[in-house]
Amino acid sequence: MSQLKISRALISVFYKDNLEPIIHLLAKLGVEFVSTGGTQDYIEKLGYQVTPVEKLTGFPSIFGGRVKTLHPAIFGGILYRRADTNDVGQAKEYGIDAIDLVIVDLYPFEETVEKGGTEEDIIEKIDIGGISLIRGAAKNFKDVLIVASRDQYSDTLALLQSKKGASDLADRKKFAAMAFDVTSHYDTAIFNYFNQGFNIPSFKKSIRHGRTLRYGENPHQQGIFFGDLDDLFEQCNGKELSYNNLVDVDAALNLVQEFETATVFVIIKHTNACGVALAPTVKEAYLKAYQADTISAFGGVLATNKAIDLESAAEINKLFFEILIAPGYDDEALALLKSKKNRMILVRKKELNEKRQYKSILNGVIEQDLDLKTDSVNNLKVVTRRAPSREEMSALLFASKVCKHTKSNTIVLAVNGQLLASGVGQTSRVDALQQAIKKASSFGFALKDAVMASDAFFPFPDCVEIASQQGIRSIIQPGGSVKDQDSIDFCDKHDMAMVFTGIRHFKH
């Protein structure tokens, strides 16, 4: 029969929180406990008798606890097949009793790494016996129920309560799958720790938190997010974030994080900024950002790095938007913003700190370092006779930060602390510039004395020529073209300033 009743349980865990109700239920059902060390003490303090592992193996815990359960008396009781007459005969011959339930977790390897433990501490947190017990019990799921994490305690308790200490084959197979999820994640973490500095070319990533999205990029596509959004945000209002929402939120936060101290407001549409501004207050920054493109802002994703007060919220509330992200909200501001039930209002708890990015492509995956280079005065090289003024230099660095987070080919036009327009995702740099000029004009911006940023070098002087015709007097670009001198010569002839960063910021 597929339903099996538990009569003997091996329990040995590092984390004992929320284990007590399971212990009480198993004891009430007459289940025999087998355990060792701290878990044995824990069960005995609850008032129940425990068979020590050492009594079954004939060995004490040795080598500083490295070897406790690695013995045929334990693994035989887990792995022998109850429906196999040869296995049953051998178990009887060697006096090995069946173990029907294994509750084992793993030493906190990842936590020790994250806390900056010494190499010795980290190595000692590589579990050997525990992971072997989990794998053994999961392999023999036809006869054994395996519980491999404290995250599974509530489901375990519910199962044992509903089926009076028994489990079905489907139950055991599901718990086995969850167990292998735990062990594979654990091994991935260990490999990635050991692979630091060696760069063995093996792609191993494991994220155990996931949520099914309403759909993917389009309604006919399925979508899942793997990660812990609750670690980043508290959602105060609105529906669940969609696939496209998450992509735009990522773009918004990465751009906001470029501005460490100044108050910044960002408006994102399809991962590109249609409004970015710096100002003394959130309200002023929002109004300047919105001014850059009052059409694209409709239905956009909004983000700032400062708390939102009521005065700012009153202005923002006039706009139809999808998402607003801020590190905090005044009570009255939040109440006003929540007046539209579908608006997604997020409180950002922490900054993004990822260092690598990857995506599926062709029949594999590509991985790279994130573009964490931010242009600064220290890495700029003035290549023209005229150097930018202090105000121009500030505007150039502002424009460069926006440019870095915009789809290539891109040109960004700005003044100090305000995006005027950008040309995004164009097949030529001239097209990107023409798009930006047209857009700036449509929203009433004169480009005289504005600055221009480019994500890559100018292969010809055509862009600086067009910029000059619009009154743009200062340019920032990576440089590196064999025809750089043509652009430099044009700038010198027309009293324009140009700086090279030496860093390209393609974004595809």
Side-chain angles (χ1 to χ4, degrees):
M1 293 178 64
S2 69
Q3 189 171 85
L4 296 176
K5 194 170 183 64
I6 296 166
S7 60
R8 198 160 180 250
L10 170 63
I11 306 175
S12 180
V13 296
F14 188 89
Y15 296 107
K16 300 169 183 65
D17 39 315
N18 300 319
L19 180 63
E20 183 175 343
I22 296 175
I23 300 297
H24 289 312
L25 178 60
L26 291 173
K28 184 178 179 182
L29 294 168
V31 174
E32 177 191 347
F33 295 115
V34 176
S35 190
T36 185
T39 308
Q40 178 182 341
D41 294 340
Y42 176 82
I43 297 172
E44 288 175 340
K45 286 178 181 177
L46 292 176
Y48 304 116
Q49 186 175 347
V50 179
T51 301
V53 164
E54 294 82 355
K55 182 177 180 181
L56 299 180
T57 65
F59 280 88
S61 174
I62 57 177
F63 308 128
R66 283 188 167 196
V67 178
K68 291 184 284 190
T69 58
L70 297 168
H71 192 279
I74 301 299
F75 280 86
I78 293 170
L79 282 165
Y80 91 78
R81 292 159 289 192
R82 279 52 158 180
D84 186 303
T85 54
N86 289 330
D87 281 12
V88 172
Q90 283 188 317
K92 185 175 181 181
E93 177 183 355
Y94 294 106
I96 296 173
D97 294 325
I99 295 173
D100 315 298
L101 169 65
V102 175
I103 302 178
V104 173
D105 61 9
L106 299 171
Y107 291 154
F109 177 84
E110 285 182 284
E111 293 88 337
T112 305
V113 172
E114 288 172 3
K115 290 177 181 178
T118 65
E119 183 172 275
E120 183 179 359
D121 290 336
I122 291 168
I123 298 304
E124 286 307 310
K125 290 299 185 293
I126 298 176
D127 207 310
I128 303 300
I131 204 164
S132 300
L133 289 167
I134 291 171
R135 290 176 63 85
K139 176 177 179 175
N140 199 24
F141 68 88
K142 289 184 178 179
D143 301 307
V144 181
L145 177 65
I146 172 64
V147 180
S149 167
R150 57 180 170 173
D151 296 337
Q152 300 164 16
Y153 286 174
S154 61
D155 289 342
T156 302
L157 183 63
L159 171 66
L160 298 178
Q161 287 173 331
S162 65
K163 296 184 178 176
K164 298 180 174 56
S167 63
D168 293 327
L169 181 61
D171 300 323
R172 296 192 295 279
K173 192 169 185 178
K174 179 181 178 182
F175 273 82
M178 292 191 291
F180 284 122
D181 177 37
V182 169
T183 60
S184 63
H185 178 82
Y186 196 74
D187 283 337
T188 295
I190 294 170
F191 168 77
N192 286 330
Y193 172 76
F194 274 86
N195 196 32
Q196 296 177 96
F198 296 109
N199 296 318
I200 297 169
S202 179
F203 182 79
K204 286 184 171 62
K205 303 293 178 187
S206 178
I207 301 173
R208 297 193 58 234
H209 298 280
R211 64 169 70 182
T212 301
L213 305 174
R214 297 196 302 273
Y215 49 80
E217 197 163 8
N218 299 291
H220 63 277
Q221 297 170 267
Q222 292 183 339
I224 302 173
F225 173 77
F226 294 101
D228 186 4
L229 288 177
D230 293 336
D231 187 49
L232 288 177
F233 307 112
E234 176 189 351
Q235 184 165 352
C236 302
N237 194 66
K239 55 192 176 182
E240 287 190 2
L241 295 168
S242 70
Y243 181 101
N244 292 331
N245 291 153
L246 291 169
V247 173
D248 283 339
V249 165
D250 180 72
L253 290 183
N254 276 289
L255 179 50
V256 165
Q257 285 182 197
E258 291 286 349
F259 303 93
E260 296 179 354
T261 56
T263 299
V264 63
F265 204 100
V266 168
I267 304 174
I268 296 288
K269 201 69 173 288
H270 295 294
T271 74
N272 292 305
C274 58
V276 185
L278 307 177
T281 68
V282 173
K283 176 185 174 181
E284 292 172 276
Y286 164 70
L287 289 172
K288 286 173 66 178
Y290 175 67
Q291 186 182 25
D293 188 340
T294 58
I295 296 175
S296 297
F298 183 87
V301 172
L302 284 53
T304 182
N305 59 352
K306 305 294 182 182
I308 293 179
D309 57 19
L310 180 59
E311 189 176 7
S312 304
E315 286 295 337
I316 297 168
N317 192 56
K318 298 173 184 177
L319 175 68
F320 171 78
F321 62 88
E322 287 276 344
I323 302 170
L324 177 60
I325 312 159
Y329 303 83
D330 291 354
D331 291 342
E332 291 177 319
L334 185 59
L336 176 61
L337 293 166
K338 289 170 66 175
S339 61
K340 303 290 175 63
K341 66 177 183 178
N342 287 330
R343 278 179 178 166
M344 289 160 270
I345 309 296
L346 304 178
V347 178
R348 178 178 55 79
K349 297 179 182 178
K350 60 196 293 188
E351 291 195 345
L352 303 176
N353 59 5
E354 296 298 315
K355 301 293 188 292
R356 305 278 290 173
Q357 66 178 167
Y358 46 90
K359 65 179 178 179
S360 61
I361 185 172
L362 300 174
N363 62 345
V365 172
I366 53 175
E367 182 179 14
Q368 68 171 353
D369 295 330
L370 278 168
D371 183 359
L372 300 177
K373 294 282 189 181
T374 298
D375 296 328
S376 67
V377 172
N378 295 330
N379 71 276
L380 299 185
K381 179 182 179 182
V382 178
V383 294
T384 51
R385 285 196 295 264
R386 186 174 79 81
S389 67
R390 180 177 296 182
E391 185 174 353
E392 285 176 323
M393 187 66 78
S394 180
L396 288 170
L397 292 173
F398 171 85
S400 175
K401 290 177 180 179
V402 178
C403 194
K404 171 184 167 182
H405 293 274
T406 307
K407 294 288 186 183
S408 301
N409 287 310
T410 185
I411 293 288
V412 167
L413 306 178
V415 291
N416 193 9
Q418 185 180 24
L419 170 66
L420 301 182
S422 58
V424 303
Q426 297 302 301
T427 52
S428 84
R429 208 151 295 282
V430 171
D431 287 345
L433 176 55
Q434 296 285 19
Q435 183 190 52
I437 292 169
K438 182 178 179 180
K439 191 170 186 179
S441 176
S442 69
F443 289 101
F445 291 111
L447 295 177
K448 186 177 185 301
D449 297 327
V451 303
M452 177 172 75
S454 175
D455 60 336
F457 63 64
F458 299 122
F460 304 101
D462 43 12
C463 282
V464 294
E465 293 170 8
I466 296 169
S468 175
Q469 294 167 10
Q470 298 297 318
I472 293 168
R473 311 305 300 163
S474 196
I475 299 168
I476 185 169
Q477 58 132 323
S481 169
V482 294
K483 294 189 175 182
D484 276 345
Q485 193 61 47
D486 292 348
S487 294
I488 294 170
D489 290 344
F490 183 90
C491 288
D492 284 340
K493 185 176 180 180
H494 294 82
D495 195 33
M496 298 170 69
M498 184 159 64
V499 296
F500 285 0
T501 66
I503 301 171
R504 190 182 71 186
H505 292 295
F506 269 168
K507 189 170 188 287
H508 292 101

